[in-house]
């Protein structure tokens, strides 16, 4: 569970490191698609975490030859770009970060990817059942702490976003998942997928967590108001 509304706790380096490792994996494997410029910036931060400050004697042509798949997203590696070009750009970005601590480099990496709308999502590729002009035959459902996003398969570009406050209900069966959304005019979305149960369970888990947070925050505000009233009465 990834809660985008919560800041990364700098005082918990273990949490930061595990969050960073997960983010790197999602970027490198292409789960989080990104442009070449963003990939270079993130690779520079990853270099800083892995190798500390840039060293002109060590970080030279050929240094990343066998390591490049660990630093550049798999979808971008298939582009018509030479290893030397990747190295030049990544080394330049790495050198710019001299003096940045490993913890700060990890936090910068996380702050970058947390700005992406699909950060922290679990993704499912599904078949659209109730065809509309809005949706292609196949889409990606992304579930995160904001709600459900329907994305394009190849680019993960958002097609429609549904916040939890707009989602009326959801249901699943063995080979399907569906949900109803819309504050004013309700619309049903149906998809063929064998992972319907997993999608529903992930949605429920986020809703349970968000409700607990809401109750805790409401209780805290109520206690603060009560304490304030008691003090005023005592005066």
């Amino acid at each position: 569970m990834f809660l985008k509304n919560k800041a990364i706790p700098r005082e918990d380096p273990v949490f930061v490191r595990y969050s960073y490792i997960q983010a790197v994996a999602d970027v490198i494997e292409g789960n989080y698609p990104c442009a070449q410029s963003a990939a270079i910036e993130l690779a520079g931060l990853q270099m800083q975490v892995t190798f500390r400050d840039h060293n002109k004697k060590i970080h030279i042509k050929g240094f990343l030859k066998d390591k490049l798949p660990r630093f550049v997203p798999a979808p971008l590696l298939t582009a018509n770009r030479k290893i030397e070009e990747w190295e030049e750009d990544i080394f330049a970005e790495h050198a710019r970060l001299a003096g940045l601590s490993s913890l700060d480099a990890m936090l910068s990496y996380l702050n970058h990817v947390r700005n992406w709308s699909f950060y922290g999502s679990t993704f499912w590729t599904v078949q659209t059942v109730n065809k509309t002009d809005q949706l292609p035959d196949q889409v990606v459902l992304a579930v995160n702490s904001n709600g459900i996003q329907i994305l394009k398969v190849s680019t993960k570009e958002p097609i429609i976003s549904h916040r939890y406050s707009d989602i009326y209900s959801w249901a699943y069966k063995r080979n399907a998942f569906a949900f109803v959304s819309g504050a004013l005019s309700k619309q049903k979305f149906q998809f063929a997928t064998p992972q319907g149960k997993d999608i529903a369970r992930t949605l429920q888990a986020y809703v349970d967590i968000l409700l607990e947070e809401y109750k805790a925050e409401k209780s805290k505000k109520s206690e603060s108001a009560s304490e304030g009233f008691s003090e005023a009465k005592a005066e």
Side-chain angles (χ1 to χ4, degrees):
M1 302 287 104
F2 292 84
L3 302 181
K4 291 188 68 172
N5 62 318
K6 282 186 172 292
I8 296 289
R10 181 188 176 86
E11 64 279 4
D12 189 348
V14 175
F15 180 85
V16 172
R17 183 161 190 83
Y18 278 117
S19 299
Y20 164 79
I21 290 170
Q22 181 64 60
V24 169
D26 283 320
V27 170
I28 296 303
E29 292 169 14
N31 294 331
Y32 295 167
C34 64
Q36 180 177 297
S37 57
I40 291 168
E41 183 179 342
L42 293 174
L45 288 164
Q46 193 181 344
M47 287 281 291
Q48 187 68 16
V49 173
T50 308
F51 303 112
R52 305 304 295 268
D53 287 350
H54 183 74
N55 187 326
K56 291 182 179 180
K57 295 181 180 179
I58 298 174
H59 304 132
I60 58 176
K61 181 179 176 181
F63 178 80
L64 288 177
K65 182 179 180 180
D66 299 323
K67 304 180 184 71
L68 206 57
R70 290 168 45 198
F71 292 86
V72 176
L76 293 181
L77 281 177
T78 59
N80 187 21
R81 200 161 197 260
K82 295 179 180 178
I83 292 176
E84 293 81 3
E85 294 176 309
W86 280 113
E87 285 185 318
E88 183 179 353
D89 289 340
I90 292 171
F91 289 160
E93 182 65 25
H94 183 204
R96 191 182 66 80
L97 301 171
L100 191 70
S101 70
S102 178
L103 177 63
D104 285 328
M106 286 189 283
L107 285 168
S108 293
Y109 194 106
L110 286 168
N111 287 333
H112 190 118
V113 299
R114 275 164 61 91
N115 286 325
W116 296 340
S117 62
F118 45 72
Y119 170 77
S121 296
T122 304
F123 302 101
W124 292 271
T125 300
V126 299
Q127 298 290 330
T128 306
V129 173
N130 55 334
K131 301 290 193 299
T132 69
D133 293 336
Q134 293 176 301
L135 301 182
D137 291 342
Q138 192 177 61
V139 296
V140 170
L141 289 187
V143 175
N144 56 40
S145 61
N146 290 330
I148 302 175
Q149 286 182 304
I150 302 177
L151 314 172
K152 292 182 179 179
V153 173
S154 57
T155 62
K156 286 196 172 73
E157 179 185 344
I159 302 173
I160 313 173
S161 295
H162 304 267
R163 300 188 68 84
Y164 285 113
S165 55
D166 296 327
I167 299 173
Y168 183 73
S169 64
W170 63 81
Y172 72 91
K173 54 185 180 180
R174 188 167 61 88
N175 289 311
F177 173 78
F179 70 94
V180 177
S181 180
L184 299 176
S185 177
K186 294 182 175 62
Q187 183 177 3
K188 186 174 184 178
F189 296 86
Q190 300 180 69
F191 307 95
T193 171
Q195 285 89 36
K197 184 176 182 179
D198 292 335
I199 299 171
R201 288 178 65 183
T202 304
L203 278 166
Q204 190 62 56
Y206 272 117
V207 168
D208 290 344
I209 290 172
L210 293 170
L211 280 174
E212 284 300 316
E213 284 202 326
Y214 172 76
K215 290 176 183 177
E217 187 64 27
K218 190 175 180 180
S219 176
K220 189 185 297 182
K221 287 181 179 179
S222 177
E223 288 175 4
S224 297
S226 176
E227 289 172 2
F229 178 78
S230 298
E231 289 172 3
K233 186 176 180 181
E235 289 175 359

